Amino acid sequence: MLKEEAIKDHQTVTAEGEPTSVLLTGVKRQEVPNIITANGTTTELYRPEWEVGPEQIQHMIHVIMRANALSAWHVHDFQIDTIFVTNGSIKLVLFDDRDDSATKGQINVFHLSRLRPTLITIPPGIWHGLQNMDNSESSFINYFNNAYIYTDPDEWRLPFDTDKIPYRFE
């Protein structure tokens, strides 16, 4: 029987739809509701009481990813990223390589979409990569605690297929 060779799925969500995965140390996740109005939909992108995102936003960008595009891997020494998908479906993968972290060596994978609005805050020292899962453009907003420094970017990169990170994008 083929079932003897198959791998059984493990639980990924609770009966209430909450993820069961443990977040990497310092990573924050905040689902936000869509507010249905008479003329459309409103989604709040940030509220201080959510305790997600930098204390003060200093820089914000809107990114459009081409169909099936991949942007991986990169890390920051000081910058805190907070990501919110505005269109399409994006996979966000995080890898904790921080020596002083309780979750060193662990991975978080988030499937983000406008259909279930979610903010993800990535602290410094977490390697991250994004993959557009759609055959059309997807987009996201990323806001930061520091403005981009053109003359000395806080950006460190590895190729998407590096053997140094135990994850393979499909």
Side-chain angles (χ1 to χ4, degrees), residues 131-151:
Q131 182 178 20
N132 180 356
M133 302 305 292
D134 288 346
N135 291 322
S136 58
E137 290 180 343
S138 288
S139 59
F140 63 93
I141 293 172
N142 193 354
Y143 53 89
F144 317 103
N145 60 323
N146 297 310
Y148 183 81
I149 302 170
Y150 297 103
T151 57

Side-chain angles (χ1 to χ4, degrees), residues 72-73 127 157-169:
W73 290 97
W127 286 91
R157 298 187 184 272
L158 286 171
F160 76 93
D161 59 352
T162 180
D163 290 334
K164 306 292 183 194
I165 296 177
Y167 184 86
R168 293 293 165 257
F169 286 93

Side-chain angles (χ1 to χ4, degrees), residues 10-27:
H10 63 278
Q11 183 180 5
T12 58
V13 296
T14 66
E16 294 77 30
E18 296 298 319
T20 59
S21 61
V22 175
L23 294 178
L24 301 178
T25 303
V27 172

Side-chain angles (χ1 to χ4, degrees), residues 9 19 79 113 132:
D9 283 353
Q79 180 173 298
S113 168
N132 180 356

Side-chain angles (χ1 to χ4, degrees), residues 20-170:
T20 59
S21 61
V22 175
L23 294 178
L24 301 178
T25 303
V27 172
K28 297 178 183 175
R29 180 179 187 276
Q30 174 73 46
E31 281 193 31
V32 295
N34 281 323
I35 302 163
I36 309 302
T37 63
N39 59 357
T41 305
T42 299
T43 306
E44 293 177 308
L45 296 181
Y46 175 77
R47 294 186 60 87
E49 66 266 24
W50 290 344
E51 298 180 7
V52 66
E55 289 182 21
Q56 187 175 10
I57 298 170
Q58 294 294 322
H59 188 186
M60 184 182 300
I61 61 174
H62 178 251
V63 177
I64 298 172
M65 294 183 78
R66 292 188 178 102
N68 305 303
L70 175 60
S71 174
W73 290 97
H74 55 279
V75 70
H76 313 288
D77 285 333
F78 308 105
Q79 180 173 298
I80 298 170
D81 287 0
T82 298
I83 294 176
F84 180 86
V85 172
T86 54
N87 185 50
S89 298
I90 293 177
K91 182 191 316 184
L92 170 64
V93 181
L94 309 179
F95 173 66
D96 191 348
D97 188 42
R98 300 169 294 173
D99 288 331
D100 61 344
S101 174
T103 54
K104 180 176 174 59
Q106 295 181 28
I107 298 274
N108 279 159
V109 178
F110 300 97
H111 293 90
L112 304 172
S113 168
R114 180 73 177 96
L115 298 177
R116 191 167 182 175
T118 304
L119 289 163
I120 302 291
T121 298
I122 308 164
I126 299 279
W127 286 91
H128 47 290
L130 298 111
Q131 182 178 20
N132 180 356
M133 302 305 292
D134 288 346
N135 291 322
S136 58
E137 290 180 343
S138 288
S139 59
F140 63 93
I141 293 172
N142 193 354
Y143 53 89
F144 317 103
N145 60 323
N146 297 310
Y148 183 81
I149 302 170
Y150 297 103
T151 57
D152 188 20
D154 183 21
E155 301 276 345
W156 304 90
R157 298 187 184 272
L158 286 171
F160 76 93
D161 59 352
T162 180
D163 290 334
K164 306 292 183 194
I165 296 177
Y167 184 86
R168 293 293 165 257
F169 286 93
E170 301 169 4

